[in-house]
Amino acid sequence: MCYHISLEDKKQVEGMKKPIKSEVEFVPKFHFNGFDKPMIPVVSIRTPDVVSLYRWRLVPEWVGKEGEWKANTLNARNDELFEKPAYKSYWTNRCLVLCTGFFEPHTPAGTSQTHSWYIRPAAGGLFMLGGIFTHWQNQYTFSIITTDAGPHMAAVHNEGERMPLILDGPEAEAWLSPQLTQAEMKALMVPYADESRLKTYRVMDGVFNARKDTNCPEVLLEHPSGSRLNEGGTLSLF
C-alpha cells in the first residue's frame, strides 16, 4: 500500500523544468496523509508538458456524492486494475505522481507494534509513481498503483508485502504514451527492478496515527534505533 508520501520543497517540483499549472497553490509537506485527500503534483497524459495538481483519492465519474462513495481508492492494485469497477474504465488515464519518498509500516516479528519506515531515492530527487485519474465534478482525482513488493520492500512492509509502482527513465516516458496497450501497461506494473537505488530506514513512530501531527522535518530523520535495510533485504540495528 502507499497512503503516506513526502514532498517537502516546491523547488524539487520546479526542478522538473515543467511549469506548475493549477488554480490552487501547491503547499509542500514533510508528510502527506492520503486520507486527508490532499492536492498532489502530477504529470498526466492529458497535459504532459506541465505539472498539475490532482486530488488524492480516485472518485469514479459515476459517483454522485462523494460521501456515498465508501471504497478506499487511494491505491489501485495492479492485479485489479482492469477488472474492478472503480478502475477499469480509467486505465488510459495515466499519470505520474511526484514525491520525494513514501512511508510504509513494519511489524517486528512476534509483536503487535507498528514501526514507521521511509523510502526515498538513494541519490535524492523525486520518485515518479504510476497512477490513474478521473475527472469528477470539475476536479481531477487520482489513485497510486501498487504492485507486489520486491525482496527488500517485502522485508519492510512485511504484512502486506506491497509497494507503489515506481517508474523512471523509459518506463516513465512509456507510461504517458497514448499508444500504450493493456499488455504493455501490465508489463510496466512490476516491482521496482533495482532496489539498491532505494534508501530505506526507520523513522519516528506515529506516522500512521491520524491523531498525531507528523508533518515536521523530524519525520524524515532516521530513528535513534538505527534500523536500516541490509543488502539482501534483512533488517538490522547498528
Side-chain angles (χ1 to χ4, degrees):
M1 66 183 187
C2 181
Y3 300 155
H4 303 262
I5 65 174
S6 62
L7 215 179
E8 67 273 18
D9 191 341
K10 189 174 181 179
K11 292 180 181 178
Q12 293 159 313
V13 179
E14 293 170 343
M16 294 281 293
K17 297 183 179 179
K18 297 177 185 286
I20 301 175
K21 189 174 181 180
S22 174
E23 295 180 358
V24 297
E25 183 180 0
F26 170 58
V27 180
K29 285 189 174 185
F30 297 96
H31 172 209
F32 284 96
N33 183 339
F35 291 99
D36 294 333
K37 298 180 284 189
M39 302 295 288
I40 303 292
V42 307
V43 178
S44 80
I45 196 169
R46 56 177 289 273
T47 53
D49 296 327
V50 303
V51 174
S52 306
L53 290 183
Y54 287 4
R55 205 194 71 178
W56 193 358
R57 194 216 181 198
L58 184 142
V59 183
E61 294 172 4
W62 40 263
V63 171
K65 296 180 180 179
E66 187 172 5
E68 299 172 352
W69 176 244
K70 304 302 183 182
N72 178 359
T73 49
L74 297 175
N75 292 169
R77 291 178 60 100
N78 63 319
D79 53 358
E80 297 178 343
L81 189 67
F82 300 112
E83 289 80 30
K84 201 165 185 176
Y87 308 126
K88 66 180 182 179
S89 298
Y90 307 116
W91 69 273
T92 57
N93 291 1
R94 292 181 296 275
C95 62
L96 297 169
V97 182
L98 308 181
C99 66
T100 48
F102 57 93
F103 302 87
E104 295 288 8
H106 173 77
T107 302
T111 76
S112 59
Q113 300 175 8
T114 299
H115 291 171
S116 308
W117 282 66
Y118 181 61
I119 301 91
R120 67 170 178 81
L126 293 172
F127 278 135
M128 292 184 286
L129 308 181
I132 57 172
F133 66 90
T134 64
H135 187 230
W136 177 78
Q137 296 192 2
N138 298 318
Q139 64 179 327
Y140 289 93
T141 70
F142 75 88
S143 180
I144 293 174
I145 292 172
T146 64
T147 72
D148 292 333
H152 279 49
M153 282 302 306
V156 173
H157 192 194
N158 58 331
E159 290 203 337
E161 295 192 357
R162 303 286 295 175
M163 67 180 296
L165 173 61
I166 302 173
L167 299 167
D168 50 28
E171 290 79 16
E173 184 176 349
W175 190 256
L176 297 184
S177 170
Q179 285 74 45
L180 195 71
T181 65
Q182 279 196 11
E184 292 168 335
M185 188 173 170
K186 288 179 180 179
L188 291 174
M189 294 190 297
V190 295
Y192 194 55
D194 188 359
E195 291 186 308
S196 67
R197 296 172 65 183
L198 307 179
K199 183 172 182 179
T200 308
Y201 55 90
R202 185 182 171 191
V203 294
M204 66 189 295
D205 293 329
V207 170
F208 311 109
N209 184 345
R211 295 186 296 274
K212 186 173 181 178
D213 182 8
T214 52
N215 179 34
C216 57
E218 292 77 17
V219 76
L220 304 184
L221 300 180
E222 293 191 35
H223 191 274
S225 68
S227 297
R228 283 198 178 196
L229 198 62
N230 288 333
E231 194 72 28
T234 59
L235 303 182
S236 71
L237 301 177
F238 42 71

